Amino acid sequence: MNHEGEPTLPLDLPRRPGPELLERARRFRETMASRRSVREFSSEAVPLDVLDECVRAAGSAPSGANRQPWTFVVVTEPALKRAIRLGAEAEEREFYAHRITDEWRAALAPLGTNWEKPFLERAPALIAIFRHAYDVEEGQKRTNYYTVESVGIAVGILIAALHHAGLATLTHTPSPMAFLGQILGRPANEKAFVLLPVGYPSAGCRVPALHKKALEEIRLLR
Ligand code: IYR
């Protein structure tokens, strides 16, 4: 028990020798280095049990006061995917026509994006992640803490888990995203956070030639 009288468990984390740590770190880094955001999907179905395992991994994330302020909606129903595509394209049309700044347009040029989002219908699954700004228990609002950080970490683990399993994702944030909660019938405390199309890349899928910063550009030693 801890000092509040709450139950505790022994921690089960194996102590690995240095070379094994390095080898495992290197292999994970290599695995993650091949992850790319994909916008051209095959329509081939993905196994739901694989998605479930990846969502379980995401659900293991740390969160403020362990509130786990997230819902993962796995959408495979074609009519729902179509509605989501139409909702996203309505916002994106406005974004690319009016809301985008010249500077932002230039920043997006290497990605080749536009208002059209056919991948939202073609990808076999869309995982819509909702952030619980608060929870409602017995009609009372209960505050959650650090929800953006918590859900961001969970989504990072989800993207890593899907990639590690062998599935491609796109981290998609049509803005604003209120249409997602409406289409999927989420309550007012759940705010759409990000939309992840998931599947296999289409045959011949190409991705932009992007550069990732080297260690020396992102890590400081003090
Ligand atoms: N949400 C838009 C625009 C967009 C914005 C950023 I920042 C990106 O990295 C990519 C796209 C869209 O999905 O097209």
Side-chain angles (χ1 to χ4, degrees):
M1 284 201 274
N2 70 9
H3 63 273
E4 298 282 357
E6 299 286 338
T8 63
L9 293 171
L11 175 66
D12 183 19
L13 181 66
R15 178 70 169 83
R16 302 181 197 280
E20 191 182 332
L21 291 182
L22 182 57
E23 177 59 13
R24 291 172 64 92
R26 194 191 58 74
R27 284 180 55 175
F28 186 71
R29 184 262 297 168
E30 262 187 17
T31 296
M32 293 314 296
S34 63
R35 185 207 57 78
R36 295 300 311 267
S37 289
V38 163
R39 292 181 172 81
E40 295 165 27
F41 286 90
S42 153
S43 59
E44 187 183 342
V46 291
L48 189 56
D49 52 358
V50 174
L51 302 186
D52 281 348
E53 284 295 353
C54 295
V55 172
R56 283 191 182 99
S60 76
S63 62
N66 191 36
R67 288 290 164 74
Q68 304 166 59
W70 42 62
T71 303
F72 300 86
V73 184
V74 178
V75 181
T76 55
E77 166 64 38
L80 280 178
K81 289 195 294 173
R82 175 150 190 84
I84 290 170
R85 174 183 179 175
L86 294 178
E89 286 183 338
E91 296 297 353
E92 296 289 316
R93 233 187 244 277
E94 278 301 299
F95 171 76
Y96 282 95
H98 304 297
R99 297 189 203 125
I100 195 169
T101 59
D102 289 344
E103 191 182 5
W104 199 345
R105 196 184 295 282
L108 292 185
L111 306 182
T113 55
N114 63 25
W115 65 269
E116 285 182 291
K117 304 298 173 192
F119 50 76
L120 292 175
E121 270 190 281
R122 187 163 167 85
L126 308 175
I127 306 182
I129 295 99
F130 291 86
R131 173 181 68 87
H132 298 204
Y134 56 92
D135 279 305
V136 182
E137 280 175 19
E138 293 167 4
Q140 299 281 87
K141 276 192 185 183
R142 190 167 88 138
T143 308
N144 290 324
Y145 306 99
Y146 296 101
T147 59
V148 172
E149 292 84 345
S150 302
V151 180
I153 293 166
V155 170
I157 292 174
L158 178 60
I159 292 169
L162 291 162
H163 172 69
H164 177 256
L167 294 174
T169 61
L170 173 66
T171 309
H172 186 41
T173 53
S175 172
M177 261 188 292
F179 70 90
L180 259 188
Q182 287 158 15
I183 292 169
L184 297 174
R186 302 315 304 154
N189 63 307
E190 295 190 17
K191 315 295 179 192
F193 186 77
V194 71
L195 181 59
L196 291 187
V198 181
Y200 303 98
S202 67
C205 173
R206 297 183 68 86
V207 293
L210 300 181
H211 159 80
K212 296 288 178 184
K213 292 179 183 176
L215 176 68
E216 294 67 28
E217 298 172 271
I218 62 173
R219 183 273 275 128
L220 301 175
L221 286 176
R222 289 293 181 267

